[in-house]
Amino acid sequence: MRAAERLLLAALCSVCQALQDGMLFPTESPSREVKDVSGLWIFRADESPERSRGFEQQWYKSPLAETGPVIDMPVPSSYNDITQDAQIRDFIGWVWYEKDVWVPARWIQDRGTRIVLRVGSAHYYSVLWVNGVKVTEHVGGHLPFEADISGVLRQTSGNQCRITIAVNNTLTLETLPPGTIQYMTDRSRYPAGYFVQNTNFDFFNYAGIHRPVLLYTTPKAHIDDITVETTFSDNIGLVSFNVSVLGSSKAAVKVTLSAQDGRCVASADGSRGVLKVTDVNLWWPYLMHENPAYLYSMEVQATAEDGQTDVYTLPVGIRTVKVTSTQFLINNKPFYFHGVNKHEDADIRGKGFDWPLVVKDFNLMKWMGANSFRTSHYPYAEEILQMADRHGIVIIDECPGVGIKDIRSFGNVSLAHHLTFMEELVRRDKNHPSVVMWSVANEPASEMPPAGFYFKELVSHTRSLDSSRPVTYITASNYARDLGAPYVDVICVNSYFSWYQDPGHTELIGLQLNTQFDNWYGKYQKPIIQSEYGADAVPGLHSDPPMMFTEEYQKTVLQNYHNVFDQKRKEFVIGELIWNFADFMTSQSIIRVVGNKKGIFTRQRQPKAGAFLLRERYWRIANETGVLPTWARYPCL
Ligand code: GCB
């Protein structure tokens, strides 16, 4: 790390933390309580030149309001678009959040209760204090982290609990995504100390506490993690499970699997085993079966020596995923991805989790007949994956390895962090039936010599963490120069013919896209997903014949791509994911008009002409390949 980044990150001592234990999503049960402490927090950006005043003056030791001026800040939300202050929108460095909460007295009094503080995600580095005592720190946005705060609460003042969280959005060559801080030294153009953050990715680097902050309890001896893997043979489903319990070495574990009507269909004693389900209801994707997204419910009970029982219930979908040289198979049937790429992005809240937005987006995806999405370019909130499990929407789960373009970001420190990130991601998402593939990166400079070694390690490590799902990364490199492709299971290619190449020339798409597919398949004989394609359309701009940036041009680009997809999906193309589901914010530049406009929906989720085109197409494909229940038939087909 260079001096510049060190200044902004002052006081964060260890950057690469050891992996914590399990990371089960907090749910209530007879033995567990959850208290959501999101809502209104107070906030202060450390505007000192080196952003280190908060640490020097120990802002965590006393109420934040006593240290200087504070403002209201909603959690979850990015802080960037909440105020009218451009300095806060573009702030780089440490910001401080604080909230006073009441912890139920019984949690504190009962020494058998373990109290955990959990942050769904905060971007990018975080340090957490409770009543002035540091309880944990975490590196990386997009994933949860937590701390057992029982001891601190019992030692410090009573049931009142002051939570302080310092968050820093500085990106370095070794973060995911990477970035650099550039100090401008030409005094005729920039004032002393002026710096900017440079990145190589196309979305706004929103920051803050992006997902809910929760307090939850478990008994001292508790279920720490559960791993399930599923398969089936004829009508018998098999669920292998592995339960880890912490706080007791002799806990008795009991596992019960129930059907949706509450009937117990299988049970077992012991922390590992295989449950057999006769007349299994498989988990099928949306539009592939008349009863998609079937979820069993697996109740795990762990009873410790002192008689206390911890109970955790996990939804389980029984399904398999396999890849051949030309197909992607779900439950041994060919699956064609007709879906979208998304962003966690919306007006005002930025990347802050928001239920109305999540439900609206699922409604729109189902409306347009999408059966899948890619979590471009980072892991999404767990609540979103749970929705996908429940609605049968298939997910390619991506890590924030986006914008790895500088050769210095292929070094050992970066690789170690990337491997750790994949461990945390797999640990969090491994049990979701909707997740069918891991994507370890988006458009890295995969032609640079270190990329061969880097991706070999990354892909094989991911496979060792989870052998039940294929692994990929998304390439935009030329097939002849890509050094990572030999290691992936599925080739995912992004291309923007008639946009970044040959702008305005939609007549070239057919030829260029055919060449793209034939070259990649010819070299690797692996199935291919068109993981991005599209064109910007400023809503309301029209022209005929089509011109770039109009809704007609976006439609024409899509139609030309679709003509080729329709030939190649009979061969080895296994999916198409439009870039993008909705318009989204980017950093300011001369190629962006208040953000990226490649959405088929506006940022406010209203359809452009392209949305109707895709809707017809996706339902037509679903009608050919799927088993559509009558209620789901698209009326005009
Ligand atoms: C890409 C990137 C995506 C961009 C998109 C674009 O290849 O993967 O992050 O937003 O192109 O619109 O330029």
Side-chain angles (χ1 to χ4, degrees):
M1 199 184 296
R2 291 167 323 150
E5 279 99 353
R6 249 198 321 270
L7 288 179
L8 293 164
L9 295 175
L12 187 67
C13 32
S14 57
V15 245
C16 261
Q17 269 227 140
L19 259 190
Q20 295 158 301
D21 304 308
M23 195 45 82
L24 290 173
F25 186 77
T27 54
E28 300 223 292
S29 83
S31 60
R32 294 174 173 233
E33 288 180 68
V34 179
K35 184 178 157 89
D36 193 335
V37 294
S38 312
L40 212 50
W41 287 50
I42 57 169
F43 175 93
R44 182 174 181 195
D46 182 346
E47 285 169 358
S48 62
E50 295 178 7
R51 311 293 197 239
S52 53
R53 186 172 299 146
F55 286 94
E56 284 154 17
Q57 297 182 348
Q58 303 185 318
W59 287 358
Y60 47 90
K61 285 269 182 188
S62 49
L64 196 55
E66 289 175 13
T67 70
V70 292
I71 57 172
D72 287 339
M73 190 56 69
V75 170
S77 176
S78 302
Y79 58 74
N80 310 76
D81 293 345
I82 295 295
T83 75
Q84 297 311 103
D85 184 348
Q87 241 176 301
I88 290 199
R89 184 191 61 203
D90 299 327
F91 188 78
I92 300 163
W94 289 104
V95 299
W96 293 72
Y97 285 80
E98 184 195 87
K99 184 166 174 109
D100 282 320
V101 303
W102 284 97
V103 179
R106 63 181 187 284
W107 290 12
I108 309 260
Q109 281 148 15
D110 176 3
R111 303 236 151 206
T113 294
R114 189 175 148 261
I115 308 163
V116 184
L117 171 61
R118 181 198 227 252
V119 179
S121 81
H123 190 71
Y124 181 88
Y125 300 82
S126 310
V127 187
L128 259 76
W129 294 263
V130 168
N131 294 337
V133 180
K134 181 174 163 189
V135 292
T136 194
E137 60 188 62
H138 185 258
V139 179
H142 319 292
L143 288 181
F145 51 96
E146 59 183 35
D148 180 342
I149 59 167
S150 332
V152 177
L153 284 182
R154 288 185 185 122
Q155 278 153 25
T156 52
S157 52
N159 304 354
Q160 231 212 331
C161 162
R162 192 180 73 249
I163 305 173
T164 313
I165 307 183
V167 185
N168 191 328
N169 59 350
T170 308
L171 301 176
T172 73
L173 288 166
E174 279 102 26
T175 55
L176 284 176
T180 50
I181 295 291
Q182 187 181 2
Y183 275 86
M184 303 306 204
T185 49
D186 178 349
R187 286 289 155 269
S188 67
R189 296 168 65 206
Y190 305 100
Y194 195 88
F195 63 88
V196 290
Q197 168 96 72
N198 296 316
T199 56
N200 271 312
F201 53 84
D202 184 37
F203 53 91
F204 192 80
N205 189 32
Y206 278 115
I209 302 177
H210 282 155
R211 297 183 190 150
V213 181
L214 306 176
L215 288 172
Y216 73 93
T217 65
T218 73
K220 248 194 179 143
H222 61 279
I223 299 160
D224 171 57
D225 200 9
I226 305 170
T227 308
V228 296
E229 267 187 40
T230 66
T231 186
F232 65 95
S233 163
D234 300 324
N235 69 337
I236 311 275
L238 299 170
V239 180
S240 69
F241 62 89
N242 188 354
V243 177
S244 75
V245 175
L246 286 183
S248 157
S249 53
K250 294 200 195 92
V253 175
K254 185 170 174 50
V255 176
T256 313
L257 195 73
S258 304
Q260 273 178 2
D261 59 8
R263 238 174 346 108
C264 165
V265 293
S267 65
D269 290 319
S271 56
R272 278 163 176 268
V274 180
L275 300 169
K276 277 192 189 163
V277 187
T278 42
D279 294 326
V280 63
N281 275 305
L282 296 177
W283 186 93
W284 288 97
Y286 173 56
L287 304 179
M288 201 174 170
H289 192 267
E290 65 276 3
N291 185 16
Y294 191 93
L295 291 173
Y296 290 89
S297 157
M298 186 164 115
E299 187 185 90
V300 178
Q301 293 185 13
T303 306
E305 299 88 308
D306 63 2
Q308 274 222 52
T309 299
D310 187 21
V311 183
Y312 190 91
T313 302
L314 182 77
V316 171
I318 302 178
R319 57 111 185 88
T320 58
V321 175
K322 283 188 203 110
V323 172
T324 72
S325 63
T326 55
Q327 289 180 315
F328 196 95
L329 302 173
I330 296 185
N331 300 335
N332 299 329
K333 295 240 169 88
F335 176 76
Y336 186 76
F337 294 80
H338 43 92
V340 299
N341 288 280
K342 293 187 88 262
H343 263 299
E344 286 182 323
D345 176 274
D347 287 334
I348 302 171
R349 49 193 68 52
K351 293 202 175 307
F353 178 81
D354 181 42
W355 271 119
L357 185 73
V358 172
V359 176
K360 178 75 176 174
D361 282 4
F362 271 83
N363 286 338
L364 288 176
M365 284 189 280
K366 293 181 82 170
W367 171 85
M368 68 185 280
N371 63 2
S372 50
F373 67 90
R374 166 162 79 107
T375 68
S376 41
H377 293 303
Y378 37 78
Y380 292 179
E382 288 154 282
E383 291 87 340
I384 296 178
L385 303 191
Q386 290 161 0
M387 282 287 281
D389 291 342
R390 291 178 38 241
H391 290 272
I393 304 292
V394 164
I395 290 179
I396 301 174
D397 200 353
E398 189 155 293
C399 113
V402 51
I404 309 179
K405 304 281 191 197
D406 187 312
I407 198 154
R408 292 169 295 173
S409 295
F410 283 106
N412 288 340
V413 177
S414 296
L415 179 59
H417 177 49
H418 212 145
L419 296 176
T420 305
F421 199 98
M422 286 314 299
E423 283 167 24
E424 290 190 23
L425 177 61
V426 172
R427 179 186 62 182
R428 191 194 73 157
D429 293 349
K430 62 192 169 186
N431 294 326
H432 289 284
S434 55
V435 173
V436 298
M437 182 154 67
W438 305 111
S439 161
V440 297
N442 177 67
E443 295 188 4
S446 49
E447 70 288 352
M448 284 185 182
F453 174 75
Y454 194 94
F455 285 103
K456 186 172 179 205
E457 291 296 301
L458 200 50
V459 170
S460 74
H461 187 64
T462 307
R463 240 181 240 131
S464 75
L465 298 168
D466 175 19
S467 58
S468 73
R469 292 178 177 89
V471 184
T472 191
Y473 74 87
I474 315 294
T475 186
S477 250
N478 185 290
Y479 77 104
R481 290 189 292 131
D482 193 294
L483 301 173
Y487 308 108
V488 303
D489 298 303
V490 172
I491 304 280
C492 289
V493 189
N494 297 346
S495 58
Y496 288 92
F497 303 128
S498 82
W499 192 261
Y500 295 119
Q501 286 127 57
D502 303 300
H505 292 281
T506 50
E507 72 280 6
L508 296 176
I509 293 174
L511 173 67
Q512 296 183 356
L513 188 57
N514 263 305
T515 310
Q516 168 198 283
F517 284 139
D518 291 342
N519 284 342
W520 278 97
Y521 193 75
K523 179 147 185 190
Y524 290 109
Q525 288 89 52
K526 292 179 186 181
I528 303 179
I529 296 177
Q530 181 74 38
S531 40
E532 288 180 24
Y533 72 105
D536 286 73
V538 178
L541 269 196
H542 296 287
S543 80
D544 184 46
M547 287 184 72
M548 292 178 77
F549 293 102
T550 63
E551 296 195 35
E552 287 75 13
Y553 192 88
Q554 185 184 47
K555 261 179 84 172
T556 309
V557 170
L558 267 46
Q559 274 160 338
N560 278 283
Y561 267 81
H562 297 163
N563 291 341
V564 180
F565 296 158
D566 282 339
Q567 297 157 35
K568 296 297 182 190
R569 69 191 169 94
K570 296 183 198 126
E571 301 174 41
F572 48 78
V573 168
I574 57 164
E576 55 187 87
L577 304 174
I578 182 76
W579 190 265
N580 189 287
F581 172 75
D583 294 345
F584 58 90
M585 194 46 69
T586 62
S587 59
Q588 300 184 60
S589 89
I590 51 164
I591 60 161
R592 295 289 175 254
V593 196
V594 194
N596 187 309
K597 295 282 187 285
K598 294 197 185 68
I600 49 158
F601 296 100
T602 63
R603 202 181 192 208
Q604 296 71 35
R605 275 51 181 181
Q606 297 306 324
K608 302 180 195 171
F612 295 99
L613 177 85
L614 272 182
R615 182 178 190 223
E616 270 203 51
R617 171 170 178 78
Y618 283 0
W619 281 100
R620 184 166 288 120
I621 295 176
N623 271 335
E624 281 168 25
T625 58
V627 186
L628 294 195
T630 354
W631 54 263
R633 290 230 166 92
Y634 179 47
C636 69
L637 291 178

